[in-house]
Amino acid sequence: MTFKSSFLGVAPVPSLRRRAAATLPSSLFARSMLATALGSTTLAAHAQTAVPDATALPPVVVSATGYPQALSQALPSVSVITREQIEASGAQNLTTLLQQVAGVQVTSNGGPGQSGNVFLRGFGGPDVLVLLDGVPMNAQDATGVAYLNNFTTDQIQRIEIIRGNVSAIYGSGAIGGVVLITTRQGSKTPQASVSVTAGSRNTATVSANASGQVGHTALQAGISRYTTQGISAINPAQLGNANPNANGYRNTTMNGSIVQTLAPGQSLGLRAFRSEGRASFDSYGSYASPTDTNLSRTTQDLYQLFSDNQITAAWQSHLNASQQSTTNTTQNFSAFPYSSTYRTRVQQLQWRNVVALGAGWTATGGLELQRQSIASITGSIPGKERNAKAAFIGLDGSFSGNEVQLNLRHDAIDGYSGENTGYLGYGRELGAGFKAIASYSTAFNAAPLGYLYAPYYGNPNLRPEKAHSVEAGLQWSQGPNVWRATLFQTKATDQWQYDFTTSTFQNIASSRTRGLELSGRGNWNGWTYDANLTLQQPVNTSQPGDPTLQRRARSMANVSVQREFASVLYGASVHYSGPRWDNGPSGRVTLGAYSTVDLTASGALSKDWSWNARVQNLFDKKYQTVYGYNREPLGVFLGLTWRPAL
């Protein structure tokens, strides 16, 4: 498994390596910490086999503090999905992976490529911050989402998900949590692969990746193409006048990087990423017709220049300048045609530092400057832009069986007064692998530019959302096994909601989510497992009556197991979601509870060739996450990968 230097912020300094080595087996330190933090690619052993061993060693995370540490050491609640797990799952879309994570709920207006939302502990939309190689992906439009349904998995190296309020670490938008995505990167040794997948609904994927090093220059390039006939997004029996045809989707993703080592501990790099998705979608209602055609195109670009510098033996610095843009085009061909194109952009300059203080303590800190903007090509949204500046510091360490993490951050965003946020976490070793964990944190979220300035419903006087959270948990860890039980509560005020009286967004909502989260992953008697259960109460505290928030389930669970038999890795996953309510044409309706089962298998055909298979929704369960919108039925997909020895 590997990281981007931009995602990590910095490579670990020697004392951090020693600290990690003291808490992890030496084999993990050599294979995971060094390969991850120093930017090498997946180990050759994994490159030559389709039987990954993703949890045979304790996983390493960087999102909780900004530098590598064992998952069992992290005080915030973190989940990690490695490249090996992505390949073993056979999942072709990012949201398919995310719905297996504790506390995560995915909704979609149909099949692949359709609009949707991702909720973390009951918070969604602009309250879930998404970072790609350390750069915010949430659009500055009237949705505030990161369009995760437009992400395929072939060019993703790693995903980390922090559940809960971490605004003091990552800034505005992290009330519900953070999804950190790392794209694939290069290696020092030459590597190449070509993969093809085909299956139900005329689904096909072709991807190619290559990397290596020439002298002091490391190169990487990858491209993937995903196409599917899809399904009919809308059920015409529930929502009238909808087009019953299948809504197809195609996506092309490109990723590349070049990193030049200037001197020992000094490197300069350039990275580029582009994802372009095109889909047809359905509309309904009095202005729609069964013959209507609707098309959408979403393009996400990221360009990044970065420098990693070892200032001293204890101080590592990372500086990056980046630009991320999301462009959306919507076209309707009907008796009432329309077309719109708009682009949101975030230009970011960030400086991050990690300093080993000695005696088990580490300090982090840095500065960040963003230029956020939105522009409408068709003129429906006036062009707007603003500056966002931040300074942040952190301190993490342990003494006499106690672990403390403190993060403070100050954000200054045009149009708002300065906002201060904090995170205080504490862990106490209890012996026999048990640890008690508690934390308190505050958060805020500045309204996207589309919420402020969109014609008709924008409100430039919106105040930022505010939140504070408390958590208490008990963790047990031994070797690769990490189990945690967490009680959590987050209260949010001044939340944005569309007000039908004024026909604009207003600060009229407040909510609270509290619950119990159980999660565990590891190995047992040759079985690899990952299981979680979330019992939550996401409620609207500003509304009388039944306060449960729309489309949020009060109970969710996932169980995944893998076992190798005769050189073939077999896997099974079960996903459960409890009932939820939604709005229908005649008022409130209940979306029933559902369970889906997926099966996977993978193995090696030879030294250079491997195969994988995935059965999705084995029992062809019919379910909806948004009223009137269908989800994927039974599907079977087969893949073949060639990794030549170079």
Side-chain angles (χ1 to χ4, degrees), residues 179-202:
V179 178
L180 303 101
I181 306 168
T182 308
T183 57
R184 296 181 71 162
Q185 67 178 72
S187 67
K188 292 183 178 180
T189 58
Q191 294 182 2
S193 66
V194 177
S195 299
V196 295
T197 302
S200 302
R201 298 177 286 280
N202 292 327

Side-chain angles (χ1 to χ4, degrees), residues 377-537:
I377 308 303
T378 56
S380 60
I381 300 178
K384 293 290 183 178
E385 58 185 24
R386 68 183 177 194
N387 293 318
K389 296 172 285 187
F392 49 91
I393 58 173
L395 180 66
D396 176 73
S398 57
F399 61 96
S400 303
N402 301 282
E403 184 177 354
V404 177
Q405 179 176 338
L406 174 64
N407 294 92
L408 299 173
R409 183 178 174 111
H410 177 78
D411 288 86
I413 300 176
D414 287 353
Y416 297 102
S417 58
E419 297 288 347
N420 298 312
T421 51
Y423 174 91
L424 176 61
Y426 173 76
R428 172 66 183 178
E429 298 290 346
L430 303 177
F434 287 94
K435 179 167 70 172
I437 298 173
S439 67
Y440 175 81
S441 56
T442 61
F444 86 103
N445 192 9
L449 292 170
Y451 277 49
L452 299 171
Y453 303 113
Y456 310 114
Y457 52 85
N459 179 1
N461 297 316
L462 284 178
R463 298 183 300 276
E465 298 177 327
K466 299 288 186 66
H468 60 89
S469 304
V470 291
E471 291 189 26
L474 180 65
Q475 177 180 283
W476 174 81
S477 62
Q478 186 177 75
N481 302 289
V482 181
W483 283 83
R484 181 181 288 200
T486 303
L487 292 169
F488 61 88
Q489 176 176 281
T490 296
K491 291 183 177 181
T493 58
D494 275 340
Q495 287 191 287
W496 312 306
Q497 183 172 299
Y498 185 78
D499 180 17
F500 288 93
T501 302
T502 62
S503 298
T504 60
F505 282 111
Q506 296 288 339
N507 293 99
I508 58 177
S510 61
S511 68
R512 182 195 67 232
T513 180
R514 60 168 59 138
L516 169 66
E517 184 180 274
L518 304 175
S519 63
R521 60 174 292 166
N523 289 343
W524 179 76
N525 284 349
W527 291 86
T528 298
Y529 65 87
D530 195 329
N532 55 77
L533 170 66
T534 303
L535 303 175
Q536 62 180 10
Q537 295 177 328

Side-chain angles (χ1 to χ4, degrees), residues 285-308:
S286 57
Y287 291 97
S289 165
T291 60
D292 288 356
T293 300
N294 304 282
L295 301 176
S296 69
R297 174 179 173 180
T298 301
T299 302
Q300 295 161 299
D301 294 300
L302 171 63
Y303 304 98
Q304 189 174 60
L305 177 66
F306 59 90
S307 174
D308 287 305

Side-chain angles (χ1 to χ4, degrees), residues 7 63 129-134 158-162 170 178-182:
F7 173 75
S63 54
L129 179 62
V130 177
L131 303 176
L132 180 68
D133 291 332
R158 184 181 175 93
I159 309 162
E160 291 193 26
I161 303 97
I162 305 181
Y170 291 100
V178 182
V179 178
L180 303 101
I181 306 168
T182 308

Side-chain angles (χ1 to χ4, degrees), residues 503-589:
S503 298
T504 60
F505 282 111
Q506 296 288 339
N507 293 99
I508 58 177
S510 61
S511 68
R512 182 195 67 232
T513 180
R514 60 168 59 138
L516 169 66
E517 184 180 274
L518 304 175
S519 63
R521 60 174 292 166
N523 289 343
W524 179 76
N525 284 349
W527 291 86
T528 298
Y529 65 87
D530 195 329
N532 55 77
L533 170 66
T534 303
L535 303 175
Q536 62 180 10
Q537 295 177 328
V539 297
N540 184 344
T541 54
S542 60
Q543 179 178 330
D546 183 2
T548 303
L549 292 170
Q550 183 180 12
R551 298 177 185 170
R552 273 75 147 187
R554 288 195 170 217
S555 58
M556 299 174 290
N558 297 283
V559 177
S560 298
V561 294
Q562 289 181 325
R563 178 68 186 263
E564 182 181 347
F565 295 99
S567 299
V568 176
L569 184 69
Y570 296 94
S573 298
V574 179
H575 169 71
Y576 167 80
S577 174
R580 299 126 288 132
W581 74 268
D582 201 359
N583 285 320
S586 301
R588 180 176 293 196
V589 297

